[in-house]
């Protein structure tokens, strides 16, 4: 997975539809999430699209997330969030201000 800094640099260079294409591409680059993990327990509440997120903890204590969505652009936005926290210790993930990190993307 690309770093959030690399993604942000590319995103800010692009305009309009090209930014949407980048988001869709990022969504396609996510690790595949098995259908068995797409349950009510992993469903993110409050999204107009269906979004599933499943965290796993690796042997070294870092968190690795699997995620999917039924909407391509939403899946790309989820990929941005994942890029901000992927493969980091749980305490670091909990302390991360994801909204601040995604602010330059102006996704309101």
């Amino acid at each position: 997975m690309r770093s959030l800094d690399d993604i942000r640099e590319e995103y800010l260079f692009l305009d309009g539809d090209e930014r949407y294409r980048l988001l869709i591409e990022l969504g396609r680059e996510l690790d595949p999430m098995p259908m068995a993990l797409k349950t009510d327990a992993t469903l993110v509440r409050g999204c107009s699209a269906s979004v599933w997120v499943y965290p796993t903890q690796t042997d070294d204590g870092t968190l690795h997330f699997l995620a999917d969505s039924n909407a391509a652009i939403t899946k790309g936005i989820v990929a941005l969030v994942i890029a901000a926290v992927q493969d980091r210790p749980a305490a670091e993930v909990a302390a991360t201000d994801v909204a601040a990190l995604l602010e330059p993307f102006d996704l309101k």
Side-chain angles (χ1 to χ4, degrees), residues 2-85:
R2 302 183 229 182
S3 75
L4 191 59
D5 289 336
D6 288 344
I7 296 167
R8 181 176 40 248
E9 185 178 314
E10 183 176 353
Y11 187 86
L12 294 175
F13 178 76
L14 300 172
D15 291 319
D17 287 347
E18 293 173 329
R19 288 180 171 183
Y20 290 122
R21 281 190 213 87
L22 175 60
L23 288 174
I24 292 167
E25 180 182 327
L26 291 172
R28 289 182 182 144
E29 292 174 4
L30 284 174
D31 292 339
M33 185 176 191
M35 285 299 295
L37 295 178
K38 296 178 189 177
T39 67
D40 195 50
T42 61
L43 186 66
V44 176
R45 308 282 186 255
C47 293
S48 57
S50 294
V51 175
W52 301 270
V53 178
Y54 184 80
T56 59
Q57 191 167 18
T58 62
D59 291 338
D60 64 0
T62 60
L63 294 177
H64 185 83
F65 295 89
L66 297 176
D68 199 0
S69 176
N70 65 344
I73 292 174
T74 301
K75 188 172 178 177
I77 294 169
V78 169
L80 289 176
V81 173
I82 299 290
V85 297

